[in-house]
Amino acid sequence: MPWSWVQKADNNSEWLSAKIKEWTIQQETWKQQLLLEPEDLSSTVDMERLFETFPMIGGLDITPDKEQDDIAYVGIVVLSSKSLQVKYCQTHCVKLQVPYVPGFLGFREAPALINAVECLKREKVDCFPQVLLVDGNGILHPRGFGSACQVGLSLNLPTIGVAKSLLSVDGLNTLQIKEQICEEGKRWLPLLGSSNRVLGAALLSNECVKRPIFVSVGYRIKLLEAINLVFHTCRYRIPEPIRIADKISRQASSRDFC
DNA sequence: GCGACAG
DNA sequence: ATCTTGTCGC
């Protein structure tokens, strides 16, 4: 839906317009709690040490129901980070409380995702991950607080945002990034906002892939660690934890539909 | 004023 | 997120 439609709908709905104001303040407040440290993109990452720090990696995705727009299916998986062996796999049918508004995805999805992680902790603690991949952005966001930040901060768990398309922030645009990544022949490219702050990275996750994915820090992890973890878990364009979570949540949505 | 906007 | 159609490679 174009943003103008949303704005038009807002004017007819005091309710949503008030919510958006509230959410904006909430994001600005939560942003202060992110404990962001300056990124050193020239340092090297020791993969073995990375696997020791994050032996298990979780993936979260959510598929909306085909007919009821307040119903959705959460997929949650946990893999061994190094071997990519699946350790845990579960779906949940959930009721969503608010509509999707660009820039506020977390308020729609994060509560359901957080619930799925808490459920995993109760039913299978030995599969509890040290890091989560969230389908969406981290600090690569208009107010520096995407859904991956919301999930991480709430659970006090390291998170990484992985988006399939670029959210327009700080004048960043997809074409310019695509050109740049081709020119330089690199596997990944830092995304710099105004004042040269590092917001995330565009990553060609596979040799055959043409379109980058967009990786950003959610909570309590370095961008370089995030990039290396995500790259390691990519058999295809989308990292395995998210790809499998997406698959099982889709399966749940078509199963419950019948 | 116009456009642009994760899932 | 959803829809569609076509093409390539196994």
Side-chain angles (χ1 to χ4, degrees):
Chain A
M1 321 283 153
W3 179 238
S4 56
W5 295 12
V6 178
Q7 279 189 326
K8 207 176 269 183
D10 287 356
N11 297 335
N12 299 339
S13 163
E14 291 295 312
W15 201 73
L16 195 50
S17 126
K19 277 293 174 196
I20 288 173
K21 283 178 190 164
E22 178 192 323
W23 293 339
T24 303
I25 294 167
Q26 189 74 265
Q27 286 177 334
E28 308 277 13
T29 307
W30 282 335
K31 182 189 171 178
Q32 306 305 314
Q33 301 174 38
L34 285 182
L35 323 164
L36 292 174
E37 295 162 42
E39 299 286 355
D40 177 12
L41 298 181
S42 59
S43 64
T44 54
V45 173
D46 178 345
M47 289 307 287
E48 289 306 322
R49 195 174 166 280
L50 203 55
F51 296 141
E52 282 166 22
T53 311
F54 306 106
M56 307 266 255
I57 183 164
L60 293 164
D61 193 35
I62 183 160
T63 300
D65 189 83
K66 291 176 185 71
E67 15 186 64
Q68 296 144 279
D69 58 4
D70 60 339
I71 300 295
Y73 305 87
V74 172
I76 174 169
V77 297
V78 178
L79 318 196
S80 155
S81 309
K82 189 173 181 179
S83 70
L84 304 187
Q85 189 182 4
V86 178
K87 300 288 187 187
Y88 177 90
C89 193
Q90 187 61 271
T91 59
H92 303 272
C93 179
V94 297
K95 186 162 167 61
L96 302 174
Q97 302 298 322
V98 299
Y100 167 66
V101 180
F104 303 92
L105 178 66
F107 292 91
R108 178 166 169 82
E109 296 190 345
L113 302 181
I114 290 161
N115 198 269
V117 176
E118 285 169 344
C119 196
L120 150 66
K121 193 170 194 171
R122 284 196 302 271
E123 71 184 53
K124 221 165 175 232
V125 257
D126 53 319
C127 287
F128 197 76
Q130 291 74 37
V131 59
L132 291 173
L133 299 189
V134 178
D135 194 14
N137 287 302
I139 64 169
L140 180 57
H141 179 274
R143 285 163 298 281
F145 196 86
S147 58
C149 301
Q150 201 164 329
V151 171
L153 182 64
S154 178
L155 291 167
N156 189 23
L157 200 63
T159 54
I160 301 168
V162 180
K164 296 180 283 295
S165 61
L166 182 66
L167 179 57
S168 174
V169 17
D170 254 321
L172 261 33
N173 108 304
T174 312
L175 279 99
Q176 160 218 334
I177 288 159
K178 236 181 160 179
E179 285 173 15
Q180 205 178 336
I181 211 166
C182 287
E183 281 173 21
E184 302 190 15
K186 300 253 184 188
R187 202 183 304 281
W188 66 272
L189 195 71
L191 300 173
L192 306 174
S194 48
S195 77
N196 268 0
R197 229 174 66 73
V198 181
L199 302 179
L203 173 68
L204 292 177
S205 48
N206 189 301
E207 303 297 341
C208 318
V209 136
K210 297 167 186 171
R211 302 170 56 209
I213 57 174
F214 302 91
V215 177
S216 57
V217 166
Y219 189 56
R220 281 179 33 190
I221 193 164
K222 303 271 171 253
L223 180 60
L224 219 46
E225 295 177 323
I227 292 168
N228 278 277
L229 263 183
V230 168
F231 186 74
H232 175 80
T233 60
C234 283
R235 283 219 254 261
Y236 310 101
R237 179 173 177 248
I238 305 300
E240 286 299 288
I242 289 182
R243 202 179 66 86
I244 299 169
D246 175 76
K247 190 168 74 176
I248 64 174
S249 67
R250 280 177 200 274
Q251 284 170 351
S253 82
S254 43
R255 173 169 51 79
D256 285 21
F257 184 68
C258 300

